[in-house]
Amino acid sequence: MSIYKALTIAGSDSGGGAGIQADIKTFQELDVYGMSAITAVTAQNTLGVHGVYPLTAEALREQIDAVAEDLRPDAVKTGMLWNAEMIEEVARKIDEYGFSRVIVDPVMIAKGGASLLRDESVAALKELLIPRSYAITPNIPEAETLTGMTISSLDDRKKAAEQLVEMGAQHVIIKGGHQPEDNHITDLLFDGSMFMQISHPYIDTKHTHGTGCTFAAALTAQTAKGDRIHQAFEAAANFVREAVENTLGIGSGHGPTNHFAFKRNSFNTSR
């Protein structure tokens, strides 16, 4: 039996809905062994981020080394990287260990509006991580920041995706959660030559904390198992849809998604 392994390099969410916690839960639900390198500890819940406490670049480096030297991952996900120094460290480690399946989730702003990436770090992300990525998974505001474009339509998203591939990304997925159209959410994949769209009905709920992290984690898990990008994209979109549709309904603010839902519903359907 093959044990597939995935490493997430991201921040810790004390509320459990996003960051390292969401990633590990998602890996587990998709039958992938999860490992982590923590960039920062956050004090947060469904009402917002109350504090961010970054680790040192040395601490990040030693975590990545410890994992890579003994439990080499089949795929790597990056999330909240906080500053340029950490981005530089991650880029060095990608090169040192020859990681080729790197999913970059360019986390910039928390659901409640708190900044999770220093402004001066965007240039480092564009210069150092995008060219090393197997896939990058921005939401629409993140894609606007990375490209300098205003995105107000699907055609705009296609142009932004093409621009991100020109920056060096192998594949680009721009998520559509910030711009529902005709009561549907459409996620867009550009593989460098063609576009693929997946649409789901819009779900009117405030319980969407961690959807971006969860999507990228599901994409990473499926990539670790050997799925091609189109298969992984479809699986990740379905995982998040199930997680949002079957809400847990906990917390007083933007509650977490339901990481149990995909496997439970798949099991019940197969019986």
Side-chain angles (χ1 to χ4, degrees):
M1 176 182 175
S2 297
I3 303 297
Y4 299 104
K5 304 181 296 297
L7 168 65
T8 172
I9 306 170
S12 169
D13 172 5
S14 57
I20 290 287
Q21 286 80 354
D23 295 345
I24 296 292
K25 291 173 186 177
T26 302
F27 294 162
Q28 185 77 13
E29 290 296 306
L30 292 171
D31 301 317
V32 170
Y33 182 79
M35 304 165 291
S36 65
I38 297 175
T39 59
V41 174
T42 69
Q44 64 177 296
N45 53 26
T46 66
L47 297 173
V49 178
H50 304 283
V52 179
Y53 306 94
L55 275 68
T56 64
E58 179 184 9
L60 177 59
R61 177 171 64 249
E62 292 190 3
Q63 291 176 85
I64 297 172
D65 286 341
V67 170
E69 291 168 5
D70 184 46
L71 298 159
R72 183 176 176 83
D74 298 295
V76 176
K77 171 190 178 289
T78 69
M80 173 190 174
L81 296 178
W82 186 248
N83 60 28
E85 187 179 13
M86 287 188 174
I87 292 170
E88 291 165 5
E89 193 64 62
V90 170
R92 279 194 291 269
K93 292 304 172 183
I94 290 172
D95 292 347
E96 179 179 345
Y97 292 108
F99 295 144
S100 59
R101 296 295 177 110
V102 179
I103 309 299
V104 174
D105 184 19
V107 176
M108 297 179 184
I109 303 291
K111 190 73 68 179
S115 177
L116 299 177
L117 181 71
R118 304 291 84 185
D119 290 342
E120 66 273 13
S121 304
V122 174
L125 193 153
K126 291 166 65 173
E127 178 184 348
L128 298 175
L129 278 194
I130 290 180
R132 289 172 168 83
S133 68
Y134 174 70
I136 181 169
T137 63
N139 58 31
I140 289 170
E142 291 162 349
E144 288 180 326
T145 298
L146 291 171
T147 63
M149 292 178 55
T150 296
I151 299 174
S152 56
S153 67
L154 187 60
D155 283 342
D156 289 341
R157 270 194 276 164
K158 289 181 177 180
K159 292 174 184 176
E162 290 172 337
Q163 189 171 326
L164 289 166
V165 165
E166 289 174 4
M167 291 181 192
Q170 292 184 53
H171 307 104
V172 178
I173 297 171
I174 301 181
K175 297 164 293 189
H178 286 77
Q179 285 183 2
E181 295 180 344
D182 298 324
N183 210 34
H184 279 71
I185 298 293
T186 299
D187 297 320
L188 176 73
L189 163 67
F190 182 51
D191 65 6
S193 60
M194 61 178 290
F195 293 97
M196 174 181 174
Q197 298 172 209
I198 295 178
S199 294
H200 293 302
Y202 173 71
I203 302 165
D204 187 11
T205 176
K206 66 177 182 178
H207 299 295
T208 57
H209 178 54
T211 48
C213 300
T214 299
F215 178 92
L219 191 76
T220 304
Q222 294 304 117
T223 300
K225 292 190 288 188
D227 277 8
R228 297 175 66 84
I229 190 65
H230 304 87
Q231 295 171 290
F233 173 45
E234 186 172 7
N238 287 332
F239 189 96
V240 171
R241 176 180 56 81
E242 295 279 6
V244 175
E245 274 186 356
N246 299 278
T247 181
L248 295 170
I250 59 176
S252 301
H254 294 288
T257 63
N258 182 355
H259 295 94
F260 312 129
F262 182 81
K263 180 176 280 188
R264 285 185 178 176
N265 287 350
S266 298
F267 174 76
N268 291 332
T269 300
S270 65
R271 294 181 66 182

